[in-house]
Amino acid sequence: GENTTYINALKMGESEINLGLVLTKGSIKSYSVKNCKTNHRGEFILNPSHFELLSGEEYVIEWQMFWHKGNDDFLQKAYQYDNFINIEAPQFTVFQNEKIEFTVKSKNSLANLKIICDGEEIPYKTEDNGCRVSFIPKRVGEHRFDIYIDEISTYTEFFVAEELETLLYKRIKFI
């Protein structure tokens, strides 16, 4: 999302003809899917981030599309773009008392990397392949990590669920 929006559109099944899109200017806040039918995945609509224009001003949203042969080829091509930031995580949902762990990767220098969650700057360790975050959440629910590298911004979201035993107990009690 935001300045680091991308689409990795893979054909169903094995295929070496897939479509990639990387935003090169502007900011996308979210996407929508319209007209989903049985044999049609629907139409994907990119929703721009909110901005206001005064008379005579303009705003540019620009992207590049390319063919790729699969996930690895997509990432190799996407890393060629200055504003591409990739977030890798073993999972985006964790249970209470588990760590949220992810790695921020970019072709650009990560020297000015800032990661913010709940208004606090989050520490990270610089490694050969990016910057690694290991965060112990203090609450259940959604956790949004805003990521800034110079003028580029994006975010990643994680969900912290109650411990499995607590969830099962609540579900049984409800039933």
Side-chain angles (χ1 to χ4, degrees):
E2 297 182 4
N3 305 123
T4 303
T5 297
Y6 62 89
I7 297 172
N8 180 7
L10 299 168
K11 283 188 171 184
M12 293 176 72
E14 294 293 321
S15 176
E16 289 198 355
I17 304 171
N18 303 286
L19 186 62
L21 177 147
V22 173
L23 188 76
T24 55
K25 287 186 183 175
S27 179
I28 301 294
K29 188 65 174 176
S30 63
Y31 72 93
S32 305
V33 181
K34 179 180 154 189
N35 295 333
C36 287
K37 298 177 183 167
T38 306
N39 293 323
H40 179 67
R41 291 187 184 181
E43 298 158 6
F44 291 83
I45 301 166
L46 300 178
N47 304 311
S49 297
H50 178 77
F51 58 90
E52 294 182 18
L53 295 175
L54 298 174
S55 179
E57 289 183 324
E58 59 184 45
Y59 185 79
V60 175
I61 296 178
E62 183 177 284
W63 59 81
Q64 288 195 356
M65 299 171 78
F66 52 87
W67 298 111
H68 66 88
K69 296 180 180 180
N71 288 325
D72 292 339
D73 190 39
F74 170 80
L75 285 173
Q76 183 180 14
K77 290 178 178 181
Y79 276 121
Q80 295 174 9
Y81 295 92
D82 289 335
N83 60 326
F84 181 75
I85 298 171
N86 191 27
I87 310 299
E88 294 181 358
Q91 66 259 347
F92 289 86
T93 299
V94 299
F95 288 108
Q96 195 172 11
N97 300 320
E98 290 183 342
K99 291 180 183 178
I100 293 174
E101 296 183 315
F102 63 94
T103 303
V104 178
K105 296 181 176 183
S106 174
K107 87 169 198 174
N108 298 319
S109 167
L110 298 174
N112 296 326
L113 174 66
K114 251 187 167 174
I115 302 172
I116 309 290
C117 181
D118 293 335
E120 294 183 31
E121 192 164 346
I122 305 301
Y124 55 85
K125 291 182 181 177
T126 303
E127 297 178 348
D128 290 339
N129 63 345
C131 292
R132 183 140 185 83
V133 174
S134 184
F135 177 79
I136 300 171
K138 299 176 182 113
R139 59 178 173 78
V140 297
E142 289 187 5
H143 289 69
R144 177 180 162 136
F145 293 83
D146 292 296
I147 298 165
Y148 305 95
I149 302 173
D150 297 319
E151 300 298 317
I152 302 168
S153 66
T154 190
Y155 64 92
T156 185
E157 294 177 328
F158 291 82
F159 185 77
V160 179
E162 292 179 308
E163 292 178 326
L164 184 58
E165 294 80 14
T166 304
L167 285 173
L168 291 173
Y169 175 76
K170 286 182 175 181
R171 178 52 53 185
I172 291 168
K173 188 175 177 182
F174 174 76
I175 293 172

